[in-house]
Amino acid sequence: MCAILAVGTATSQTAPVQGSNDQLNLGALFADQTLDVVTADEGVTATTTAGANTFGATVVGADAALTSNQVNQGAVTAHGVVNASGSMGESSNIATTAVGNSGTATAAYGTLTGFMVQTNTGAVTARSQIEGETAQAGDVIETSQAAGNSQGLLMVNGSMGARVSQNNQADVAADGGAILHYVAGTAVVAGTAAGNNIDLTGADQSAARVITDQNNGAANVTATKFTAYGNSNLTTTAATASGNNLNAANEGTLLDVASHQYNTAYVRAQAEATSYEFGGAQATAYGVGNSAMASNANGPGLVLDNVQVNDGGGVEVIASFEGNTGYDAGASATAIGNAVSGYACNLCSGTMSATNSQSNNVDVSARSTVTVRNSGRAVVGVSTATGNNATFSVTN
């Protein structure tokens, strides 16, 4: 569902446009796709998407006020599979996405005031897989993305005052992987799972003041990717899992963010890759209970008030690569209970006001393993576990 609240020119006499959205989904949703491929010259494209409630609102050249309430109680599953026996062609893209509640709000050359509430109690699963034990491929991108709640805020020479409240109480999983005999180009296989997610982007002298409340009380949030190659050129296997995630990036006069995050889910990110012969192979896994990032790149002001509590199930991250003969191999595992970062541009007379409170009450573990059985040129392993991490900088 997409709504254009107003299109026109705003004047001092123009009354703000009022808009409201109420969505309730009780049933289960399942999107399934299977492609059987013998030979494809150019490539294979498979897009599989499942969403219980979706809503988009845009205001252009006017002022508007928006309220949105989205509630999902049904399970949401997206499943995409490619079975290949010959050639997948030069370039392939397999994307699978599942979201309980999804919303976007855009203010272009105007002002938007919004109050958005998202509540999800249905399990969300995105699973994508490439099965090609005898197949070869050029470039491959295969992604799985899953979120209980996701809200996007976008400004283009506009301003926004918004409060976003997200509550997820169901498991979220992004998994799958790829099996291929030969990869001639670059293969990127990635999974991303989040209980709650908010993305704010501002461009061309925008200003924003937002309050975000994110509560993830699910049992599990997991991202898992497994890959197996016979002979590969350049490959990346990645998994990212977060209980709550906020990413706010503005280019304008002001970015004022009050972020409150509470996670009790067990968060697990696992990326495991094998390749008998390899050129460059990397397995990367990142897991975090709560994550908040706020930056004002071309504007003078950043105000950040951050509160994070990570409790309940803990954070576990696993990354591994195993090969026989090749050049460069690496595995990186990063596990964090709470993470926050703030950035302001000092060339723009930048100032920052930051208040931070973080509490991690659970175990955090990271494990990386790299095994090269015969010979390799460079072997790198990185494993990092952190309870609380905060970074604030005012630089060019």
Side-chain angles (χ1 to χ4, degrees):
M1 179 178 181
C2 181
I4 298 178
L5 297 183
V7 178
T9 302
T11 68
S12 59
Q13 289 78 35
T14 302
V17 178
Q18 301 290 326
S20 64
N21 172 60
D22 288 289
Q23 294 176 314
L24 170 64
N25 179 70
L26 302 177
L29 292 100
F30 186 77
D32 181 73
Q33 180 173 202
T34 301
L35 296 182
D36 296 318
V37 179
V38 177
T39 299
D41 293 333
E42 295 184 358
V44 177
T45 300
T47 303
T48 309
T49 304
N53 296 308
T54 62
F55 175 71
T58 300
V59 54
V60 180
D63 297 339
L66 166 69
T67 60
S68 177
N69 185 39
Q70 296 175 305
V71 177
N72 174 55
Q73 298 180 9
V76 180
T77 304
H79 186 204
V81 178
V82 174
N83 297 312
S85 58
S87 173
M88 290 182 61
E90 295 181 0
S91 180
S92 297
N93 193 323
I94 295 90
T96 304
T97 304
V99 183
N101 297 301
S102 176
T104 59
T106 303
Y109 307 97
T111 299
L112 177 63
T113 303
F115 181 41
M116 299 89 169
V117 179
Q118 296 177 319
T119 304
N120 179 66
T121 57
V124 179
T125 304
R127 181 176 296 113
S128 59
Q129 184 73 30
I130 299 175
E131 297 284 351
E133 295 184 7
T134 62
Q136 63 181 17
D139 295 331
V140 176
I141 298 176
E142 188 256 274
T143 59
S144 301
Q145 294 182 312
N149 298 302
S150 183
Q151 179 66 53
L153 305 173
L154 176 63
M155 298 168 294
V156 180
N157 198 4
S159 59
M160 185 177 296
R163 177 153 193 169
V164 181
S165 178
Q166 295 179 320
N167 181 20
N168 178 62
Q169 297 294 326
D171 289 355
V172 178
D175 60 27
I179 301 174
L180 286 167
H181 177 67
Y182 175 54
V183 176
T186 300
V188 177
V189 177
T192 303
N196 296 302
N197 180 74
I198 299 173
D199 289 306
L200 181 149
T201 303
D204 195 12
Q205 296 303 307
S206 295
R209 178 172 282 118
V210 296
I211 300 174
T212 62
D213 297 290
Q214 295 175 303
N215 177 46
N216 182 46
N220 304 287
V221 175
T222 58
T224 308
K225 282 295 179 178
F226 296 94
T227 57
Y229 306 109
N231 187 327
S232 61
N233 181 32
L234 299 174
T235 63
T236 298
T237 304
T240 301
S242 55
N244 296 302
N245 182 66
L246 166 66
N247 186 12
N250 187 43
E251 297 180 356
T253 56
L254 175 66
L255 177 62
D256 187 332
V257 177
S259 172
H260 311 128
Q261 297 176 321
Y262 182 61
N263 175 65
T264 58
Y266 166 63
V267 178
R268 179 185 177 95
Q270 184 173 5
E272 298 194 13
T274 64
S275 184
Y276 187 80
E277 294 182 339
F278 57 92
Q282 181 73 29
T284 303
Y286 178 85
V288 61
N290 297 300
S291 177
M293 293 182 288
S295 66
N296 201 356
N298 294 329
L302 173 64
V303 178
L304 176 59
D305 182 2
N306 180 66
V307 178
Q308 295 173 320
V309 177
N310 187 44
D311 211 335
V315 180
E316 184 177 13
V317 176
I318 300 170
S320 71
F321 172 76
E322 181 178 342
N324 185 70
T325 304
Y327 289 91
D328 303 328
S332 174
T334 303
I336 305 175
N338 297 301
V340 61
S341 64
Y343 165 78
C345 170
N346 70 346
L347 295 181
C348 314
S349 301
T351 62
M352 179 190 300
S353 174
T355 303
N356 181 47
S357 174
Q358 295 174 307
S359 177
N360 178 62
N361 306 315
V362 292
D363 294 341
V364 177
S365 67
R367 183 172 75 249
S368 70
T369 305
V370 182
T371 303
V372 178
R373 300 196 178 278
N374 189 5
S375 64
R377 181 174 63 184
V379 178
V380 178
V382 178
S383 181
T384 305
T386 307
N388 299 300
N389 182 67
T391 304
F392 303 105
S393 59
V394 180
T395 64
N396 58 22

